Amino acid sequence: MDVDGWLADTRTSYDTVAVSYAHLVSGLLAEAPHERAALRLFAELVDGVGGGPVADVGCGTGRVTAHLHTLGVDAFGTDLSPGMIAVARRDHPGLRFEVGSMTDLDLADGSVAGLIAWYSLIHIPDDQLGAVFAHFRRVVRPGGPVLLGFHVGDETTLKTEGYGGHPMKVHVHRRQPSQVAARLHDSGFRVESQTTLTSPESRLGGIIFGRREP
């Protein structure tokens, strides 16, 4: 699977479903107390390192970016899909959103106090995950926290329809927490905790907190 091909398919798919996606997922956090607790802890960890800008990478329509703002985090969002970014800007006009890919993260070295990838790593192939985590390490300040959310499992599936019945062509990669934690550690992060949970966000989700090593 070439990089340009799967990125183009992912971009087109989420451009297609952006409006429906925003409608269907807008209330998920309200029904997910454990995920809200994880986001609140992340906000506290960012504050504990002195605050500063936080990147929500793969932000979609901006719902988590906006939630972090309610917790006092100076969060901004970046996403591969221009359609998703357009909806994020429409729904959260006071916040910063930019089009960009986590495979080539257009942020300066050490420019963010923390980083979150909330169920957005699920379309990254295994052979690209290390490069993505290297970008995360490059842009996060030493000591800064990272929070990863992802679907747990051992399989990759091709999603051809979703979010209101619209056509899609995206591969969904489910991984074990130990696998993700090991890759994160190998990329220069200290893994501080990992857990699994079931909620409206995911039938089986993984949550990992890490910290960028000096």
Side-chain angles (χ1 to χ4, degrees):
M1 190 186 304
D2 68 282
V3 175
D4 290 340
W6 71 262
L7 280 175
D9 288 341
T10 303
R11 181 186 297 111
T12 299
S13 294
Y14 280 100
D15 283 348
T16 301
V17 303
V19 174
S20 295
Y21 177 95
H23 173 71
L24 291 170
V25 307
S26 63
L28 288 186
L29 275 178
E31 305 170 19
H34 297 284
E35 277 96 341
R36 293 200 310 275
L39 293 171
R40 186 167 58 252
L41 174 56
F42 177 70
E44 292 174 0
L45 293 174
V46 171
D47 185 63
V49 296
V54 166
D56 180 4
V57 180
C59 67
T61 53
R63 65 193 180 96
V64 171
T65 319
H67 184 76
L68 288 172
H69 263 266
T70 69
L71 299 174
V73 178
D74 181 20
F76 65 94
T78 179
D79 197 272
L80 178 67
S81 163
M84 298 288 264
I85 290 297
V87 175
R89 290 170 174 166
R90 179 200 71 185
D91 291 349
H92 311 289
L95 305 184
R96 170 187 164 197
F97 295 101
E98 301 172 349
V99 176
S101 173
M102 67 176 72
T103 62
D104 187 19
L105 203 52
D106 188 19
L107 296 171
D109 295 0
S111 60
V112 297
L115 183 147
I116 180 171
W118 193 251
Y119 293 96
S120 57
L121 293 167
I122 61 173
H123 302 308
I124 302 296
D126 285 342
D127 63 359
Q128 297 292 316
L129 198 58
V132 167
F133 285 165
H135 276 294
F136 288 3
R137 186 184 189 280
R138 177 180 60 80
V139 304
V140 176
R141 299 170 188 166
V146 296
L147 172 59
L148 309 179
F150 52 95
H151 298 311
V152 173
D154 298 297
E155 74 282 356
T156 293
T157 57
L158 177 62
K159 186 181 183 73
T160 59
E161 181 182 299
Y163 306 110
H166 297 287
M168 301 185 75
K169 185 183 178 183
V170 291
H171 286 84
V172 179
H173 306 279
R174 293 176 172 84
R175 300 180 172 101
Q176 293 298 326
S178 58
Q179 178 186 8
V180 178
R183 298 292 292 272
L184 191 66
H185 174 268
D186 290 345
S187 300
F189 290 90
R190 182 171 70 252
V191 176
E192 297 188 330
S193 70
Q194 54 182 295
T195 189
T196 59
L197 46 79
T198 298
S199 78
E201 293 277 336
S202 178
R203 58 183 172 84
L204 183 59
I207 301 290
I208 290 180
F209 283 89
R211 193 175 294 273
R212 202 275 213 188
E213 295 279 19

